[in-house]
């Protein structure tokens, strides 16, 4: 399970970096070089999602959606220097439980 979550969090990092690179160019008027970084990051994101150990893409994306939310809040804190609210923390805990159930339950089905 740690390998799976590592892949998901790494994919989330690259997706957020890719999207944030476009944000910097179009919202913050940074150098267009960031579009190159963004494009490469988004390619890496998509590639990494193919490496998770789930049989169906829809299920992999469902788990990823939860990881993305948690990762986005981490980005908010570490990159954008904004504090978490208690609702951010509570919501993240609920999401983590949900994605763990989806991931673990379906891996058990694959192994039986």
């Amino acid at each position: 399970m740690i390998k799976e979550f590592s892949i998901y969090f790494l994919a989330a990092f690259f997706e957020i970096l890719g999207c944030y690179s476009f944000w910097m160019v179009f919202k913050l008027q940074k150098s267009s070089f960031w579009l190159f970084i963004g494009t490469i990051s988004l390619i890496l994101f998509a590639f990494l999602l193919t490496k998770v150990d789930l049989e169906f893409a829809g299920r992999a994306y469902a788990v990823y959606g939860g990881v993305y939310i948690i990762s986005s809040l981490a980005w908010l804190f570490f990159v954008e220097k904004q504090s978490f609210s208690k609702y951010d923390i509570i919501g993240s805990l609920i999401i983590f439980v949900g994605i763990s159930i989806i991931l673990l339950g379906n891996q058990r089905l694959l192994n039986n």
Side-chain angles (χ1 to χ4, degrees):
M1 181 165 110
I2 291 176
K3 176 190 171 213
E4 297 301 310
F5 276 117
S6 297
I7 292 170
Y8 277 117
F9 278 103
L10 191 57
F13 170 79
F14 283 116
E15 183 181 12
I16 295 167
L17 175 61
C19 292
Y20 191 70
S21 295
F22 281 77
W23 178 277
M24 290 191 325
V25 171
F26 296 117
K27 294 264 303 181
L28 305 177
Q29 279 67 53
K30 300 293 181 184
S31 164
S32 60
F33 174 75
W34 284 101
L35 295 176
F36 173 75
I37 300 294
T39 301
I40 298 301
S41 293
L42 292 171
I43 290 169
L44 287 169
F45 146 71
F47 172 75
L48 284 167
L49 280 186
T50 68
K51 301 303 175 191
V52 296
D53 190 24
L54 286 173
E55 189 173 353
F56 298 102
R59 196 165 282 133
Y61 300 156
V63 173
Y64 175 71
V67 171
Y68 181 83
I69 292 168
I70 294 167
S71 299
S72 294
L73 291 171
W75 186 274
L76 175 76
F77 182 78
F78 291 109
V79 175
E80 296 183 280
K81 309 292 187 211
Q82 299 299 308
S83 299
F84 299 128
S85 72
K86 67 180 177 182
Y87 302 106
D88 295 332
I89 294 167
I90 293 168
S92 294
L93 291 173
I94 292 168
I95 290 165
F96 187 75
V97 169
I99 61 178
S100 295
I101 291 168
I102 294 169
L103 184 59
L104 288 174
N106 285 292
Q107 282 186 337
R108 287 200 176 113
L109 287 176
L110 287 174
N111 293 329
N112 288 330

